[in-house]
Amino acid sequence: MISFDGATVRYPGAERDALDRVSLATPRGAITAVVGPNGSGKSTIVRSLIRRVPLRQGRISVDGRPLDELDGPELARRVAVVTQREDLTFPVLVSDYVAIGRFPHLGVWHVAGPVDETAIAEAMRTAGVDDLVERRVDTLSGGEWQRVRLARALAQGGDVLVLDEPTTFLDIGHQMAVFELLERLAHAGQTILLVSHELNLVARFASHLVLLDHGRVVADGSPSDVMQPSVLERVYQWPISIAADPVDGTPTLVLRRSR
């Protein structure tokens, strides 16, 4: 489980905090989604977890252990992260890229063994990219690249999977496939924390939503609790209605015309 307790972050030169005393917890075996408009602090949640930005105050814990007590390899063995952006300096084969996920288990001078090869093959099959094994990553479409990045995180293993905008570049079918995969992983006991602007998708799959606005938590609870028109209109500054999905009753955001 990952927990943020009063986490506060301010970027150099900024006039206000990107995260302002944010507290949240991600239960094991469930999908927790952080949502909010652009600039609300969603991606800063991920950056602070992977120590790209320091906390001004507060604490982040992984399975009850403070983040600053975990060295890099141990954190990587516990938490796999798919960031929003990633550029490779040198193009490599998809198989070699996915194999990078095993590095925290091997160290610098160790060679992948049968256990690692099995983990890599299973990750590629699970993410649906096993047919891309001989492709170079610079030949992939945006959607293929996103799924390959997910495969690398799955090969890394660990009890926690963190994703920043995991459906970027994906069409509708692949968006649903990714979320159904995350749902299966959660049902198998994995902790899933994701950042997304796709409110209707996360409302269908996440058990817990955290709504950020200007770095603060303004709503926290089930999709039905958070997806209230009065709350969302105030945060997104746009007329909004909430309908119930006719099949399963999931709250669904409907944007209205401004006039």
Side-chain angles (χ1 to χ4, degrees):
M1 184 180 78
I2 296 174
S3 62
F4 287 69
D5 183 13
T8 300
V9 171
R10 180 175 294 186
Y11 290 105
E15 295 182 354
R16 64 176 180 85
D17 293 329
L19 295 180
D20 185 359
R21 294 165 291 177
V22 166
S23 295
L24 63 90
T26 60
R28 189 178 300 278
I31 297 176
T32 300
V34 179
V35 298
N38 293 340
S40 60
K42 300 189 303 297
S43 291
T44 303
I45 290 281
V46 178
R47 294 187 190 113
S48 60
L49 177 62
I50 61 177
R51 297 189 283 221
R52 292 280 180 86
V53 294
L55 296 183
R56 296 183 69 199
Q57 63 183 51
R59 188 173 79 162
I60 302 173
S61 301
V62 178
D63 289 334
R65 291 186 59 189
L67 188 63
D68 56 11
E69 291 184 2
L70 303 175
D71 63 22
E74 184 176 4
L75 178 62
R77 287 191 293 269
R78 289 171 174 264
V79 180
V81 179
V82 179
T83 57
Q84 187 173 4
R85 298 180 181 88
E86 180 180 3
D87 296 312
L88 295 181
T89 303
F90 301 103
V92 297
L93 291 177
V94 166
S95 56
D96 292 332
Y97 174 79
V98 176
I100 293 172
R102 299 304 299 171
F103 280 12
H105 303 271
L106 298 173
V108 177
W109 304 113
H110 293 80
V111 178
V115 171
D116 305 293
E117 297 295 341
T118 299
I120 293 166
E122 177 66 15
M124 295 186 68
R125 185 197 63 78
T126 301
V129 298
D130 43 353
D131 59 332
L132 304 176
V133 61
E134 296 300 328
R135 293 268 301 275
R136 286 191 349 177
V137 296
D138 59 338
T139 70
L140 303 177
S141 69
E144 289 169 337
W145 173 228
Q146 194 74 339
R147 287 184 287 133
V148 166
R149 296 176 67 221
L150 179 57
R152 189 271 307 156
L154 293 176
Q156 187 174 330
D159 294 328
V160 181
L161 179 59
V162 179
L163 308 102
D164 190 353
E165 301 290 0
T167 55
T168 300
F169 304 120
L170 299 185
D171 58 36
I172 293 171
H174 284 113
Q175 288 180 2
M176 288 295 291
V178 165
F179 270 88
E180 288 189 348
L181 169 59
L182 297 178
E183 184 178 55
R184 291 195 299 273
L185 293 171
H187 287 168
Q190 195 156 20
T191 300
I192 309 291
L193 172 63
L194 63 89
V195 166
S196 179
H197 66 277
E198 299 284 355
L199 277 168
N200 286 337
L201 267 177
V202 299
R204 183 175 298 277
F205 290 96
S207 60
H208 183 202
L209 300 187
V210 178
L211 177 63
L212 294 182
D213 186 30
H214 292 94
R216 294 183 178 181
V217 176
V218 295
D220 184 351
S222 71
S224 296
D225 291 336
V226 173
M227 292 186 64
Q228 298 292 325
S230 59
V231 174
L232 297 181
E233 285 186 346
R234 184 175 70 251
V235 170
Y236 287 93
Q237 296 293 298
W238 199 264
I240 288 170
S241 295
I242 299 296
D245 185 282
V247 176
D248 59 12
T250 299
T252 302
L253 181 149
V254 179
L255 293 173
R256 305 201 309 265
R257 294 177 67 93
S258 61
R259 63 180 71 181

